[in-house]
Amino acid sequence: MNPYDALLQRSREIAVYNSAASLLSWDQETYMPPKAGAYRAEQLSQMAGLTHRLGTAPEVGDWLKACEDKLPATADAEESAMREANVREWRRDYDRATKLPARLVEEFARTTSLSRDAWAQARRDSSFPAFAPWLEKILSLTREQAECWGYSTCRYDALLEGYEPGARAADLTPVFADLQKQLSPLLPALEKITGAVDPARIEGEYPFDLQRALNQEIAQAIGFDFEAGRIDTTVHPFCTEIGAHDCRLTTRYDLKDFTSSLSGTMHEAGHGLYTQGLDAAQFGTPMGTFVSLGIHESQSRLWENQVGRSRAFWAHWYPRAQEVFPALKALPLEEFWLLVNRVKPSHIRVEADEATYNLHIILRFEIEQKLVSGDLAVNDLPAAWNARFEQIFGLSVPDDARGCLQDTHWALGLIGYFPTYTLGNLNSAQLYAAAASHDPAMVNELAGGQYGRLLGWMREKIHRHGRRYSPPELIERATGEPLRATYFLDYLKGKYGLN
Amino acid sequence: MNPYDALLQRSREIAVYNSAASLLSWDQETYMPPKAGAYRAEQLSQMAGLTHRLGTAPEVGDWLKACEDKLPATADAEESAMREANVREWRRDYDRATKLPARLVEEFARTTSLSRDAWAQARRDSSFPAFAPWLEKILSLTREQAECWGYSTCRYDALLEGYEPGARAADLTPVFADLQKQLSPLLPALEKITGAVDPARIEGEYPFDLQRALNQEIAQAIGFDFEAGRIDTTVHPFCTEIGAHDCRLTTRYDLKDFTSSLSGTMHEAGHGLYTQGLDAAQFGTPMGTFVSLGIHESQSRLWENQVGRSRAFWAHWYPRAQEVFPALKALPLEEFWLLVNRVKPSHIRVEADEATYNLHIILRFEIEQKLVSGDLAVNDLPAAWNARFEQIFGLSVPDDARGCLQDTHWALGLIGYFPTYTLGNLNSAQLYAAAASHDPAMVNELAGGQYGRLLGWMREKIHRHGRRYSPPELIERATGEPLRATYFLDYLKGKYGLN
């Protein structure tokens, strides 16, 4: 077997084990009985150790060197380019993985599987002290990982690299600061415009089964293939890929407000459309894998916000929602639209409107850098969070469940992940603007409940490329320019008539 | 590490991978989207190959030899006995596994994962020709396995050994023939007694949610721990263990008759009680594993039939069922009891009453022996099935969906499995008789909806022993005598007042 085919086979073999581990994780969030948690941690730890060993075996290094010396030839130029991209990305993965000892990989997987339950309980009880030892342990393992991976200027960069290749804290900081500077002055006007309707007017009885059926109808309409995926219920919505042609979404339900489960569905279905748009024939190789979380999030936010909170979207779907939930007939479309676009500072990130959402991210980005550097001690986290939250939002934090315990990320060991959400927001606005300017008819199509042109554009410009291009390169190829926050700000202003 | 600890570690490592594969299989039956089937087959095939390699590695043979020469000493006699049993069973597994090439193991796993879908479609269409090539392929792989394993008198024994260690076709044949000889003359009387009530009287509206809640209430009452398990919906009910403290049941629902999903639940919960009664500290070793399918089935049939179709059981639960389904108030307990015990020859095994059920098994036992030996060609299967069915049951077979396509076993590669069902029926009657004679108060407890004494007896006599004793030895230790069909026949006669 030539070294390229050997790498290909190993990559697909690892993907099979990783996909089995994905099912273990999905099940842990959806259906696993409570007492199974301890053994589940062992299962995930052992699977992580197995794939780490397979990915870092000496022969992989030999095959990589051989391919870098001379890539086995193909007559097809497209196939050659794909091979080059695969080898480049396998090298990246290999270099990163070989820096970690197997012991650390297994301990990290075991610890984060167990800490999830500890966090969920601490959050229910709003008791930070119950979670603090777990966070301490995860931070310690995370710092150890970062030291293994190495970095030029700050330790946090070693983590960020795992979620957003090439991104550096020093580059993000001024972008986020500028965004905050331009966003904050807009908020009072947005709050005023969208505050004209009493939010209690949307409250009603929205039975679970009806919500679920409507969510499924809409997700299918935007293009999600339920023959190759499904949707379940969890406390924390997510999207995960279990294997080729198997993409699982989850959402959560508020029986008094159907828009909560629907926006969760739109968001996760946006992720799912990216997953389903990857080349299934390349599953298990870099060319068949998403490129970064900032790009992934651009797709979820695009469908959740640019599409799912637009006037065009609701012009089509609101009559259908009124059919399903007749009480909505008393609420005119324009007022409903203002309510689903209501801007108001609030405590919970995942319930935040699309304007203030980024401020939640900026807070987390600041704080997790300090936790990783050691400038902020775990025990001081609640006080630091609450103080900074009040500065940014002008609200005091009533308890840790609505403060530093609200997100699952740190408990899952996902540190350095948060900034990709705001990158996603900026990416989504720039991509949507490019798509609309490329094909203005697409926007008219949306008002008719047709999404094929927009989805087709994303498939062509983003999905099908897998990890062929770096995230900044992908955005520049798709939109003709590097990422700029101005598209996001213009989108917000335009939406509320402030431009 | 001493050789015993090395074996222990390897055994537990394999169990982790097997448990991940169990989740893949469970998910395939419950929640997997349709297009994911092809990749799922790859996942299961690769997991099977991995555990086969780990279990048959040369070092395992070395450790076994070392332990057989001199078992590392322990001061604790009980621990020593457990170690001896583990080594004996590891040897059995190792000798059996090393006879199969990895290629055959992987191909078998892939083929049976794919053929499941082909069979389900063929059954929906009642089209045997669509399934025939799959059965041909599975039989060919199965024969190859049997030849690898070896046998003394007939090839079928090599398969039977995988489900019921020590059982031989030549020993089962006279037992089953005798059972059939004594059972058949009873049937007309049983049919007459239980046919006094029109089965349409139980038909009504039984909403899914209410059925599910009642099933869960009853499964919990008999002792199934829902903190360490759950129940889902499938076309074919089953019970599977996903890991320590994680046992999953499934059932199926007839919205016109609640007893269908309930008897499925009782049956699978019976399996689940055995699983939950194994020593969790020994999970992943022979001492923490069920001993045979005939013993497993004794537990499911005990709770489904000896308990779940008894007068005592319904004296307690029928008033509760009438609360949940008020239409039942028009049907008196005695008539209801006759209906859930209705004896009548029918086409579908899984819907058969407990008397005629064994005739379904006897038919399959005969036919699969001929398929394995090659005396019956796949293309001749429907005709052979239909002819023999009519001889035994006096009914003609209307189509293959209600004939030779009805069961999932052969499509899953489970050939040699069917006879364990009748062994289970005989075991369950003998075990129940022994428990009742050991502790007559137990039977009174049942009428009060209390199941702790009966479950405790099974835990003590069966569950906790894992694979320590062979199935015949376990039955003899528990009941004081070898397995005899007379307990089952006496149970039937006693139930219907024929003795």
Side-chain angles (χ1 to χ4, degrees):
Chain A
M1 201 185 287
N2 76 45
Y4 182 82
D5 289 340
L7 285 168
L8 194 63
Q9 188 180 336
R10 179 62 58 92
S11 185
R12 292 194 193 268
E13 185 186 0
I14 291 171
V16 165
Y17 295 130
N18 278 333
S19 65
S22 295
L23 184 66
L24 288 163
S25 294
W26 171 85
D27 180 71
Q28 182 168 16
E29 301 291 335
T30 49
Y31 297 113
M32 187 186 82
K35 287 183 186 167
Y39 196 73
R40 183 57 45 95
E42 288 313 307
Q43 291 169 315
L44 285 166
S45 167
Q46 192 173 303
M47 295 300 290
L50 172 70
T51 53
H52 184 259
R53 280 195 307 280
L54 285 169
T56 58
E59 64 269 22
V60 177
D62 298 339
W63 296 329
L64 278 169
K65 274 198 215 88
C67 284
E68 287 160 348
D69 284 349
K70 187 176 180 335
L71 189 61
T74 56
D76 181 350
E78 174 64 14
E79 169 70 16
S80 287
M82 283 173 47
R83 288 185 171 202
E84 268 173 43
N86 274 340
V87 170
R88 183 194 69 221
E89 295 299 306
W90 281 326
R91 163 61 71 190
R92 180 179 175 274
D93 294 345
Y94 178 77
D95 286 352
R96 217 171 140 80
T98 48
K99 288 176 181 162
L100 297 185
R103 188 258 323 145
L104 181 56
V105 170
E106 292 174 21
E107 194 177 350
F108 190 78
R110 184 184 302 112
T111 304
T112 53
S113 177
L114 290 171
S115 74
R116 171 194 164 277
D117 282 351
W119 163 78
Q121 188 60 51
R123 181 167 173 266
R124 273 193 295 274
D125 302 342
S126 196
S127 161
F128 183 77
F131 178 57
W134 287 99
L135 183 55
E136 198 75 78
K137 168 95 177 158
I138 286 167
L139 273 169
S140 153
L141 293 171
T142 298
R143 286 192 202 105
E144 198 181 338
Q145 288 178 329
E147 293 302 319
C148 291
W149 284 321
Y151 46 87
S152 314
T153 50
C154 76
R155 196 193 271 152
Y156 185 83
D157 284 344
L159 307 174
L160 193 50
E161 176 70 18
Y163 305 110
E164 196 65 25
R168 298 289 172 265
D171 298 329
L172 294 184
T173 302
V175 175
F176 286 12
D178 183 53
L179 177 64
Q180 186 178 1
K181 202 177 128 195
Q182 296 197 57
L183 195 54
S184 295
L186 289 178
L187 294 179
L190 300 184
E191 201 174 332
K192 189 164 171 232
I193 294 166
T194 61
V197 185
D198 179 1
R201 293 207 47 205
I202 206 173
E203 281 174 24
E205 303 281 310
Y206 300 96
F208 170 76
D209 287 345
L210 296 182
Q211 287 194 49
R212 189 171 54 176
L214 181 63
N215 292 343
Q216 194 142 340
E217 183 180 342
I218 295 177
Q220 195 149 359
I222 65 174
F224 186 79
D225 179 1
F226 280 96
E227 295 280 299
R230 50 178 291 117
I231 184 161
D232 295 274
T233 305
T234 45
V235 177
H236 292 270
F238 64 91
C239 169
T240 187
E241 190 178 22
I242 307 290
H245 304 292
D246 192 351
C247 175
R248 313 261 173 123
L249 320 177
T250 71
T251 192
R252 60 177 172 195
Y253 294 82
D254 178 346
L255 298 180
K256 297 197 171 306
D257 180 357
F258 80 102
T259 64
S260 165
S261 71
L262 178 59
S263 68
T265 301
M266 289 293 286
H267 181 95
E268 303 308 336
H271 283 304
L273 290 173
Y274 183 14
T275 301
Q276 293 188 336
L278 293 163
D279 185 351
Q282 308 300 325
F283 184 85
T285 75
M287 280 298 297
T289 307
F290 73 92
V291 65
S292 79
L293 293 182
I295 297 297
H296 228 314
E297 191 74 5
S298 77
Q299 301 303 295
S300 56
R301 298 298 270 178
L302 180 106
W303 292 97
E304 179 190 3
N305 292 331
Q306 273 80 14
V307 175
R309 295 188 202 278
S310 68
R311 276 202 170 79
F313 181 82
W314 285 110
H316 178 79
W317 285 104
Y318 195 55
R320 175 76 186 116
Q322 289 176 315
E323 251 173 57
V324 176
F325 307 116
L328 288 175
K329 287 181 181 155
L331 182 66
L333 171 60
E334 183 58 25
E335 294 182 28
F336 172 80
W337 183 82
L338 281 172
L339 285 178
V340 294
N341 282 288
R342 188 159 177 263
V343 173
K344 192 173 175 64
S346 63
H347 292 100
I348 305 291
R349 174 185 62 85
V350 295
E351 292 165 6
D353 58 81
E354 50 184 326
T356 62
Y357 186 94
N358 297 293
L359 302 179
H360 289 273
I361 298 306
I362 288 166
L363 168 74
R364 286 155 180 76
F365 177 53
E366 280 178 26
I367 284 184
E368 65 180 10
Q369 287 183 77
K370 289 182 188 158
L371 285 170
V372 170
S373 70
D375 289 348
L376 176 62
V378 165
N379 288 334
D380 298 332
L381 168 59
W385 178 290
N386 297 352
R388 192 73 181 106
F389 188 88
E390 186 151 3
Q391 280 182 341
I392 297 176
F393 289 87
L395 294 172
S396 66
V397 176
D399 52 43
D400 292 334
R402 280 171 283 183
C404 66
L405 276 180
Q406 68 182 264
D407 291 309
T408 187
H409 297 64
W410 295 339
L412 296 179
L414 304 172
I415 300 176
Y417 183 122
F418 280 121
T420 67
Y421 286 124
T422 283
L423 286 176
N425 287 336
L426 304 184
N427 286 331
S428 71
Q430 185 159 331
L431 285 168
Y432 186 78
S437 107
H438 164 83
D439 179 7
M442 178 192 302
V443 180
N444 297 334
E445 250 198 19
L446 299 184
Q450 298 295 316
Y451 306 94
R453 291 166 89 119
L454 179 58
L455 179 57
W457 195 88
M458 292 299 157
R459 293 247 141 111
E460 169 68 20
K461 300 289 183 181
I462 304 291
H463 304 178
R464 72 184 176 95
H465 297 297
R467 289 168 64 181
R468 182 155 177 176
Y469 307 110
S470 73
E473 207 179 342
L474 191 64
I475 289 294
E476 193 157 348
R477 290 178 65 99
T479 69
E481 58 185 322
L483 182 63
R484 295 169 53 209
T486 184
Y487 286 102
F488 176 72
L489 292 158
D490 287 348
Y491 156 71
L492 276 187
K493 290 182 209 157
K495 179 168 191 167
Y496 299 104
L498 294 181
N499 52 356
Chain B
M1 199 184 289
N2 77 45
Y4 182 82
D5 289 340
L7 284 169
L8 194 63
Q9 188 179 332
R10 179 62 58 91
S11 184
R12 291 194 193 269
E13 185 187 0
I14 291 171
V16 166
Y17 295 130
N18 278 333
S19 66
S22 295
L23 184 66
L24 288 163
S25 294
W26 172 83
D27 180 71
Q28 181 168 16
E29 300 292 335
T30 50
Y31 296 113
M32 187 186 81
K35 287 183 186 167
Y39 196 73
R40 183 58 45 93
E42 288 312 308
Q43 292 170 315
L44 285 166
S45 166
Q46 193 172 303
M47 295 300 289
L50 171 69
T51 52
H52 184 260
R53 279 195 307 280
L54 285 169
T56 58
E59 64 269 21
V60 177
D62 298 340
W63 297 329
L64 277 169
K65 272 198 215 87
C67 285
E68 286 160 349
D69 284 350
K70 187 178 177 339
L71 189 61
T74 56
D76 181 349
E78 174 64 15
E79 168 71 16
S80 288
M82 283 174 45
R83 289 185 172 201
E84 267 172 44
N86 275 339
V87 171
R88 182 195 70 221
E89 294 299 305
W90 282 326
R91 163 61 72 192
R92 181 179 175 274
D93 294 344
Y94 177 77
D95 285 351
R96 216 170 139 82
T98 47
K99 287 175 181 162
L100 297 185
R103 188 260 322 148
L104 181 55
V105 171
E106 293 175 20
E107 194 178 350
F108 189 79
R110 184 185 302 112
T111 303
T112 53
S113 177
L114 290 171
S115 74
R116 171 194 163 276
D117 282 352
W119 163 78
Q121 188 59 49
R123 182 167 172 267
R124 273 193 295 275
D125 303 342
S126 195
S127 159
F128 183 77
F131 178 57
W134 288 98
L135 183 55
E136 197 75 78
K137 169 96 176 155
I138 286 168
L139 273 169
S140 153
L141 293 172
T142 298
R143 285 192 202 106
E144 199 182 336
Q145 288 178 330
E147 293 303 320
C148 291
W149 284 320
Y151 46 87
S152 315
T153 49
C154 76
R155 196 193 271 153
Y156 186 82
D157 284 344
L159 307 174
L160 193 50
E161 175 70 19
Y163 305 110
E164 195 66 25
R168 298 290 173 264
D171 299 328
L172 295 184
T173 302
V175 175
F176 286 12
D178 183 52
L179 177 65
Q180 185 178 0
K181 202 177 128 195
Q182 297 197 57
L183 195 54
S184 296
L186 289 178
L187 295 179
L190 300 185
E191 201 176 332
K192 189 165 173 230
I193 294 166
T194 62
V197 184
D198 179 1
R201 294 207 48 204
I202 206 173
E203 282 174 23
E205 303 281 310
Y206 299 96
F208 170 75
D209 286 345
L210 296 183
Q211 286 193 50
R212 188 170 54 176
L214 181 63
N215 291 343
Q216 194 141 340
E217 184 180 342
I218 295 177
Q220 195 149 1
I222 65 174
F224 187 78
D225 179 1
F226 280 97
E227 294 280 298
R230 50 178 292 117
I231 184 161
D232 295 275
T233 306
T234 45
V235 177
H236 292 269
F238 63 92
C239 168
T240 187
E241 190 177 23
I242 308 291
H245 304 292
D246 191 350
C247 175
R248 314 259 173 124
L249 319 177
T250 71
T251 192
R252 60 178 173 193
Y253 293 83
D254 178 345
L255 298 180
K256 298 198 170 306
D257 180 358
F258 80 103
T259 63
S260 164
S261 71
L262 177 60
S263 69
T265 301
M266 290 293 286
H267 181 94
E268 303 308 337
H271 283 304
L273 290 173
Y274 183 14
T275 302
Q276 293 188 336
L278 292 163
D279 184 351
Q282 307 300 326
F283 184 86
T285 75
M287 280 298 296
T289 307
F290 73 91
V291 66
S292 79
L293 292 182
I295 298 297
H296 228 314
E297 192 73 6
S298 77
Q299 301 303 295
S300 56
R301 298 298 270 179
L302 180 107
W303 292 97
E304 179 191 2
N305 291 332
Q306 271 81 14
V307 175
R309 296 189 202 275
S310 67
R311 277 201 169 79
F313 181 82
W314 285 111
H316 179 79
W317 285 105
Y318 195 56
R320 176 74 187 118
Q322 289 176 316
E323 248 174 59
V324 176
F325 308 115
L328 288 175
K329 287 179 182 155
L331 183 66
L333 171 60
E334 183 58 26
E335 292 182 27
F336 172 80
W337 182 82
L338 281 173
L339 285 178
V340 294
N341 283 288
R342 189 161 177 262
V343 173
K344 193 174 174 64
S346 63
H347 293 99
I348 304 291
R349 174 185 62 85
V350 294
E351 293 166 5
D353 58 83
E354 49 183 328
T356 62
Y357 187 94
N358 297 294
L359 302 179
H360 289 274
I361 298 306
I362 288 166
L363 168 74
R364 285 156 179 77
F365 177 53
E366 281 179 24
I367 284 185
E368 66 180 12
Q369 287 183 78
K370 289 183 188 158
L371 285 170
V372 170
S373 69
D375 289 346
L376 176 62
V378 164
N379 287 334
D380 298 333
L381 167 59
W385 178 289
N386 297 352
R388 192 72 182 106
F389 188 88
E390 187 151 3
Q391 280 182 339
I392 297 177
F393 289 88
L395 294 173
S396 66
V397 176
D399 51 43
D400 292 333
R402 280 173 283 184
C404 65
L405 277 180
Q406 68 181 265
D407 290 310
T408 187
H409 297 64
W410 295 338
L412 296 178
L414 304 172
I415 300 175
Y417 183 122
F418 280 121
T420 67
Y421 286 124
T422 283
L423 286 176
N425 287 335
L426 304 185
N427 286 329
S428 71
Q430 185 160 331
L431 285 169
Y432 186 78
S437 107
H438 162 83
D439 179 6
M442 179 191 299
V443 179
N444 297 334
E445 249 199 22
L446 299 183
Q450 298 295 316
Y451 307 94
R453 292 165 88 117
L454 179 58
L455 180 58
W457 195 88
M458 293 299 158
R459 294 248 140 111
E460 170 69 20
K461 300 289 183 183
I462 304 290
H463 303 178
R464 72 185 177 94
H465 297 298
R467 289 167 64 181
R468 183 156 177 176
Y469 307 110
S470 73
E473 206 180 343
L474 191 64
I475 289 295
E476 193 157 351
R477 290 177 65 98
T479 68
E481 57 185 323
L483 182 63
R484 294 169 53 209
T486 184
Y487 287 102
F488 177 72
L489 291 159
D490 287 348
Y491 156 71
L492 275 187
K493 289 182 212 158
K495 180 167 191 169
Y496 300 103
L498 295 181
N499 50 357

